[in-house]
Amino acid sequence: MKKKLVMIGNGMAGVRTIEELLKLQPDGFEITIFGNEPHPNYNRIMLSTVLQGDKSIEDIIMNDWDWYKSNDIQLFAGEEVVEIDKEKKQVISEQGRKVDYDELIIATGSSSFILPVPGSDKKGVVGFRDIHDCEMMIKDSRQYKKAAVIGGGLLGLEAARGLLNLGMEVDVVHLMPHLMERQLDGTASGMLKKELENQGMNFLLEKQTAEILGDERVTGLRFTDGTEIRADLVVMAVGIRPNVQLAKDSGIYVNRGIVVNDYMETDVQNIYAVGECAEHREIVYGLVAPLYEQGKVLAANLAGIPTNPYEGTICGTQLKVSGCDLFSAGEIGDDEGTKSIKVHNEFDGIYKKIVIRDNRIAGIVLYGDTKDSNRLFRMLTKREDISGMTSVSILEASGCCGGGEAGDVAAMADDELVCGCNGVTKGTIVEAIRTNELTTVDEVGGCTNAGRSCGRCKSLISDILAYTLGDQYDTTAKKAGICGCTTLSKDEVVAEIREKGLTNVREVMNVLGWSQEEGCSKCRPAINYYLGMVHYDGYKDERDSRLVNEKMHANIQKDGTYSVVPRMYGGVTTAADLKKIAEVAEKYDVPLVKLTGGQRIGLFGVNKEDLPAMWEDLGMPSGYAYGKTLRTVKTCVGEKFCRFGTQDSMGLGIELEKKFERLDTPHKVKMGVSACPRNCAESGIKDIGFVGVDGGWEIYIGGNGGTDLRAADLLDTVKTKEEALEITGAYLQYYRETAAYLERTAPWLERMGLDHVKEVLADENMRKQLNERLDKTLERYNEPWNEAISDRAIKEKYYQVRSVSVE
C-alpha cells in the first residue's frame, strides 16, 4: 500500500525532492502538493531573464501541468495550507480542504524582505521573488519611468538590469560602499560598478533609506542624510526571509528557519523541511545548489535508502547581468593568515583573485574571464593541497592537449563540477552519455538535470559531448528539437512532411513518434504553420492548434477581456469609420479606446461574448493585431501633402497591406513606408521598410524596434511600386520557407546572411517561383471576423460563455 506524502510548497527545492524520490521509489507514495502560486513549478532563478526580456514565463516552467498528471501527483495550485494538525497527521488548506499524510515535507521557500520603513506599504513598492512581482514591474514600466532598486546585491542588480531593459531610468541604492560586498572585493566591485554604469544604472552608495515618499503611491525616497530622489517604482532587493510562520504556529522548532538535522528531519516525527525555509547547522541557504543537495538527501531518506548525511555547502555565485562575466566563492578578504594571487588586466577588463590559506584555496573572485571557475571551485571544495603548484598553474589549466576547449575538458577530473546549480559532475555526464546513448545537450539535461537551472554550463556540456562522442558528435547531433516532444529539428520536420505527404498535425505527431501524444503549446502551432507552408495550395488550417490569440482572432488581456483592433490600411481612415468606431465603443461600454503604435485604433476591455456582435457592428476587417502575420504598414503622408515627400508613401503602403494581409508568417511582420530619407514612418527598424528617393524606392530588411534593436539592411533599390511589390513578395516567401516558427526576420537575416538573401532574390526565376507560391497561399485566406459572424458553429465554440458547475 502506498504511503501518503504531502508537500507544502511547489517550488524548485521541493519539486526536485519529488523528482529524486520518483527515481528511487516510483510507486512508493501517493503524492499531494499544495502551492501558493497559480503556476506549475518554474525556475525562480530565471525570473531575471523574464524581466530582462530574454525569456517568457512559459520558457521558465520546469515541470508543466502534464508532468504532475503523468506522475499521478495531485497538485492544488494557488491554494495555501493554513494549518498542520500533527496529532491527526493532516494538513488543512485555506479552502478547508483536509488531506491526511504519512510523511509531510515543508518546502515553503522564502519571501522578499521588505524594509520596515515608513511608506513601505505604498502602491509601487514590490519585492523581486516570484512571477507576480515580475508582472507588477513589467506593468508599471509601461506607465512609469523612474525606478529605484534598494539593494546592490545579486538580486538587486539583476532587477535593475531588467528594469533598464523595460525602458526605465534606474537608481540602485545600496547601504554599503561596494556592490555585492559579500561576494566581491573592492577591485572587482569597482569594475562591476563601472560596467553597469556604462549600461545605464545610476548608483547611490552608502545611502540608508529612511522613508518612502508619496500619498497612496510611491513618489520617491528620503535617506537618513536628508537627501531625496524621485521614484515611481521601488524594488526591495535587500534579502529574503524564510517562510516559517506555518511551522511555528504548528509547534515545529523554528529559529531563523525551520531547524533540521543532516537528513532534513524537523523535531517532529514524519515532518521534514527542505529549501530556503530550512535551517541546517545554523545556515539558511538562498542559492539553488545546496537546496538540490538537501532534496537528494531527503528523497533517499524518505525512500529508506542509506545515504550520506547533508553536511552543508560551499556556494559559488555567478552574476546573470548581461555584459558581466563574474564568479565568486568562499573567502574574498585578506587577513594575516592568507596570501592572495591577484591578476588585474585593466586593458582587457579581467580581474582574478585566489585567496590561499594553509596551502589550500579558500576563496575565488573572477571578473571578465570565468572559464577556470569550475576547476578552481573543485580545488576549493576538495581542499586540494597546492604546495607544489605555481601561481600560473593555479590560475589557468594547461590542458593535456595544449589548452583550448577540448584540452580543458580532457584535463577535467571526473569529479569536477560542471553544473553547480544541480551538483552534476563531468563523470556523471560522461557516464550518462555512454550508458543512455545521449547525443544532445537537452538529452543530457533530461537525464542528469545538468543545465536545467541557470543554463550557463550548457556550452561546457556540449564540449563534454564532443569529447565523449568524438566524430559522432557532428552538427546533426548538436541540433535541438522544436520542443521537448521530439528530437527532430524544424528542417527535419518539414522534410518529413514533404517526403511522407503528411497532411495534419496529429498525423505528423503520430508518424514522427512524438513523445507526448497531444503535443504541446510549442509544437502544435509550429506544425500547423509548417503544414500550411508546405501545402500552400490546399491546406485546411487547424484553428485549435494555433496560439490562443490567433484562435480567438483577438488579443486576450490580463483581466481575461479582449482587444479589438480593426484594419486601417496604411494608417489611413475616414470620418465614417471613425464615427462607426465611436458608436461601437459607446454601445459596448468599451473601457479604453487608444491609438496604437501601428497607426490604428484599439478598443480594449471587450468581453469575449461581445466580440462577434462588435465585429458585425464595425463592419471592418480584422487588423490582425494578434497574429503571426503582417501586422501593419506604417506610412507618412508622402508627396500628396508633405513638401519634403518625393514618393507616394500612402499609396504604396495601402497596396502592400492589402496584398499581404492575413499571410501566415513565422512571426509577426511590420512594414514602414517613408516618402523621403527623413524616414517619418521609421522604415529603418521594420521587418521590411521602404524609403522614397528620387526616382524610386530603397527597400530595407531585417530591422527590429523591440528589445533587441536592429537597424535594417539595404536590400535593393527599385524604380516602381510593381518592382517593390515583387521583391517584397519573394522576400516574404523566402522568409516563410526558411525561418523557424517564432523566428523574427532580424535574427533570421543574421543567420542566413544578407549577401545570401540578396543572391537568392537577384535570381529572376527564383523570384517568380517564390511569388507564385506566395500568391497561391494568399488565395486560401478568408476574413476571420466575417467567418465568426456568419458561422454559427464557430460562434458557439469560441465565443459563447458557458456555465460550469462547481462542486
Side-chain angles (χ1 to χ4, degrees), residues 432-584:
I433 292 169
R434 288 175 176 158
T435 305
N436 300 289
E437 299 181 350
L438 309 179
T439 58
T440 69
V441 172
D442 284 345
E443 286 176 0
V444 171
C447 188
T448 66
N449 283 321
R452 288 188 64 204
S453 293
C454 76
R456 286 197 162 214
C457 58
K458 284 188 174 179
S459 62
L460 183 54
I461 296 170
S462 179
D463 292 342
I464 295 174
L465 276 160
Y467 162 75
T468 309
L469 297 176
D471 293 341
Q472 295 175 45
Y473 188 54
D474 55 20
T475 51
T476 305
K478 289 179 184 176
K479 70 177 170 50
I482 62 173
C483 70
C485 302
T486 179
T487 58
L488 296 175
S489 67
K490 168 254 169 184
D491 289 339
E492 288 171 329
V493 171
V494 171
E496 294 281 3
I497 290 172
R498 292 185 196 278
E499 187 179 324
K500 293 186 167 66
L502 307 177
T503 57
N504 63 66
V505 173
R506 185 167 290 280
E507 188 180 28
V508 170
M509 294 191 293
N510 286 342
V511 172
L512 302 186
W514 246 236
S515 61
Q516 297 286 334
E517 190 180 343
E518 297 297 324
C520 69
S521 58
K522 282 186 179 177
C523 62
R524 290 186 67 93
I527 297 170
N528 188 48
Y529 170 76
Y530 296 139
L531 283 163
M533 183 269 290
V534 172
H535 304 302
Y536 54 88
D537 54 352
Y539 179 64
K540 183 170 171 46
D541 181 66
E542 295 188 28
R543 186 166 178 160
D544 286 338
S545 290
R546 285 185 174 265
L547 298 170
V548 62
N549 288 338
E550 291 188 320
K551 196 187 303 181
M552 297 301 295
H553 283 285
N555 255 333
I556 191 166
Q557 306 296 304
K558 188 173 181 178
D559 60 358
T561 62
Y562 289 81
S563 64
V564 170
V565 183
R567 180 73 74 182
M568 285 184 181
Y569 296 101
V572 178
T573 186
T574 64
D577 279 349
L578 289 174
K579 190 175 176 185
K580 208 181 296 178
I581 290 170
E583 288 169 351
V584 165

Side-chain angles (χ1 to χ4, degrees), residues 1 16 114-115 120 176 205 227 236 303 338 430 507 587 617 643 652:
M1 184 176 174
R16 174 55 61 87
I114 302 296
L115 287 175
S120 60
M176 306 304 287
L205 301 179
T227 58
M236 294 268 196
T338 62
V430 171
E507 188 180 28
K587 179 178 177 181
D617 287 346
R643 58 198 173 93
L652 177 59

Side-chain angles (χ1 to χ4, degrees), residues 198-225:
N198 289 337
Q199 293 185 22
M201 288 184 209
N202 181 49
F203 293 99
L204 300 168
L205 301 179
E206 297 183 85
K207 289 281 188 182
Q208 184 173 6
T209 304
E211 184 180 358
I212 296 174
L213 307 174
D215 295 326
E216 189 178 350
R217 184 181 177 87
V218 57
T219 58
L221 295 178
R222 179 178 296 134
F223 303 110
T224 52
D225 61 8

